Amino acid sequence: MSNLQKTRAIVLSKLNFGDTSKIVTLYTEDYGKETCIIKGGRSAKSKIGGIVDVMNHIEVVFYKKENREMQLISQSDLISHYPHIKENLESLKYAASVLELLYTLTIANEVNKKLYKGSVKILDMMNDSSDNPQLLFVKYFMFFLDELGYSLKEYNCKKCSKDFSESEVIYYNHERGFLCPDCGKNEIVNYEFSKELFNLLICLSAKQNQCTYSFENLKKLIQFFEKFLKYHVPEFKGLKSIYTL
């Protein structure tokens, strides 16, 4: 038996289905990631089909039936379509990367209201603030990793517990974590941090507002997070949106 449910959601993807319908993937506030069908959604007369578009923040009503792969959407209302993101290529590629992380790395029907609210917040900020979208995405990526259970908050040498205040270079090994130069010289180094890059990582992790950064170092952090995820989640092949948009 199906029950009508209402929730808010971010539209992650859409796909044409049959002659008239659309299949969409939503990241919802109350039900996690859901795959839904919009019957007649490809018609120019379909109000629902126009509202349930990729990257839109919506309120949606659907028939929820357990153990059914696709839920049927019956109604939708637009909360935001993020116009400033969609008219700026730099903002668009990082906002699309937020959707890509949610689409590829969250589990269907696994509820995480904090992740939903954080994802809406970062899209709102990319749309409304003058902050660098690359910086906003790096902050979101760190938040996303924490919500997936992959914390990076232990910033002393994992082998000797030394802090890195005197180190000009810091090593990272996927199995051991961060290592000082002495402990890292006989280990496999999966990533190497300059002192400047490592200080930026610590500053962002502490959620400070005035972190000194360069665009190149932000790029390096994104690459590090991608490598980190590839190691822990082998099916993750890296972000496409950043490099293709």
Side-chain angles (χ1 to χ4, degrees), residues 201-225:
L201 178 65
I202 292 175
C203 184
L204 292 173
S205 180
K207 299 181 180 179
Q208 296 181 24
N209 292 323
Q210 301 298 323
C211 297
T212 301
Y213 68 88
S214 67
F215 295 120
E216 184 61 28
N217 277 340
L218 291 176
K219 180 181 177 181
K220 287 179 179 179
L221 284 182
I222 293 171
Q223 291 171 340
F224 168 66
F225 296 150

Side-chain angles (χ1 to χ4, degrees), residues 162-179:
K162 182 191 300 181
D163 68 45
F164 297 119
S165 57
E166 302 300 321
S167 301
E168 292 301 320
V169 62
I170 296 94
Y171 298 128
Y172 185 83
N173 174 278
H174 286 314
E175 293 185 2
R176 289 187 175 273
F178 292 103
L179 297 167

Side-chain angles (χ1 to χ4, degrees), residues 24-85:
V24 295
T25 304
L26 310 177
Y27 194 76
T28 73
E29 181 176 19
D30 301 298
Y31 304 99
K33 188 166 63 178
E34 287 277 8
T35 302
C36 301
I37 187 168
I38 308 169
K39 290 188 176 180
R42 293 169 65 183
S43 169
K45 297 180 180 179
S46 173
K47 180 183 176 183
I48 297 175
I51 290 174
V52 186
D53 200 8
V54 175
M55 205 177 289
N56 285 358
H57 186 208
I58 62 173
E59 185 172 72
V60 63
V61 177
F62 59 89
Y63 290 94
K64 175 74 173 173
K65 186 176 183 179
E66 299 299 331
N67 302 320
R68 183 166 64 186
E69 288 187 5
M70 288 190 291
Q71 313 302 333
L72 175 62
I73 293 178
S74 67
Q75 181 183 330
S76 65
D77 292 294
L78 184 65
I79 299 173
S80 177
H81 68 288
Y82 300 117
H84 297 144
I85 289 176

Side-chain angles (χ1 to χ4, degrees), residues 3-244:
N3 296 310
L4 270 178
Q5 303 293 339
K6 179 188 285 188
T7 188
R8 293 178 295 178
I10 303 165
V11 185
L12 305 181
S13 71
K14 68 176 180 180
L15 178 70
N16 290 339
F17 181 73
D19 294 330
T20 62
S21 299
K22 286 183 179 181
I23 294 174
V24 295
T25 304
L26 310 177
Y27 194 76
T28 73
E29 181 176 19
D30 301 298
Y31 304 99
K33 188 166 63 178
E34 287 277 8
T35 302
C36 301
I37 187 168
I38 308 169
K39 290 188 176 180
R42 293 169 65 183
S43 169
K45 297 180 180 179
S46 173
K47 180 183 176 183
I48 297 175
I51 290 174
V52 186
D53 200 8
V54 175
M55 205 177 289
N56 285 358
H57 186 208
I58 62 173
E59 185 172 72
V60 63
V61 177
F62 59 89
Y63 290 94
K64 175 74 173 173
K65 186 176 183 179
E66 299 299 331
N67 302 320
R68 183 166 64 186
E69 288 187 5
M70 288 190 291
Q71 313 302 333
L72 175 62
I73 293 178
S74 67
Q75 181 183 330
S76 65
D77 292 294
L78 184 65
I79 299 173
S80 177
H81 68 288
Y82 300 117
H84 297 144
I85 289 176
K86 293 174 182 178
E87 65 189 17
N88 182 298
L89 183 59
E90 192 71 6
S91 296
L92 182 61
K93 70 179 182 180
Y94 291 112
S97 297
V98 170
L99 304 191
E100 189 177 344
L101 288 174
L102 290 169
Y103 182 83
T104 57
L105 290 166
T106 58
I107 298 171
N109 306 123
E110 185 175 274
V111 181
N112 186 330
K113 291 193 175 188
K114 184 177 178 182
L115 180 57
Y116 163 80
K117 291 177 181 178
S119 301
V120 170
K121 180 179 179 180
I122 208 70
L123 292 174
D124 286 343
M125 291 177 69
M126 286 181 177
N127 189 65
D128 298 333
S129 79
S130 58
D131 289 345
N132 173 14
Q134 185 186 31
L135 176 63
L136 292 174
F137 178 68
V138 169
K139 291 179 178 181
Y140 176 81
F141 210 153
M142 296 181 74
F143 160 76
F144 185 85
L145 289 173
D146 283 346
E147 288 305 303
L148 259 61
Y150 301 118
S151 177
L152 282 164
K153 292 182 178 177
E154 295 183 22
Y155 295 127
N156 290 334
C157 178
K158 291 292 288 183
K159 202 167 181 180
C160 71
S161 298
K162 182 191 300 181
D163 68 45
F164 297 119
S165 57
E166 302 300 321
S167 301
E168 292 301 320
V169 62
I170 296 94
Y171 298 128
Y172 185 83
N173 174 278
H174 286 314
E175 293 185 2
R176 289 187 175 273
F178 292 103
L179 297 167
C180 69
D182 289 337
C183 295
K185 62 186 177 183
N186 295 319
E187 300 284 349
I188 294 173
V189 176
N190 299 115
Y191 207 85
E192 186 174 309
F193 285 79
S194 66
K195 189 170 186 178
E196 180 184 42
L197 181 62
F198 188 74
N199 287 341
L200 174 59
L201 178 65
I202 292 175
C203 184
L204 292 173
S205 180
K207 299 181 180 179
Q208 296 181 24
N209 292 323
Q210 301 298 323
C211 297
T212 301
Y213 68 88
S214 67
F215 295 120
E216 184 61 28
N217 277 340
L218 291 176
K219 180 181 177 181
K220 287 179 179 179
L221 284 182
I222 293 171
Q223 291 171 340
F224 168 66
F225 296 150
E226 286 185 281
K227 288 185 177 182
F228 178 84
L229 265 179
K230 286 178 184 178
Y231 174 78
H232 290 285
V233 187
E235 59 268 28
F236 176 66
K237 303 304 179 184
L239 292 168
K240 297 178 181 178
S241 303
I242 286 179
Y243 307 106
T244 57

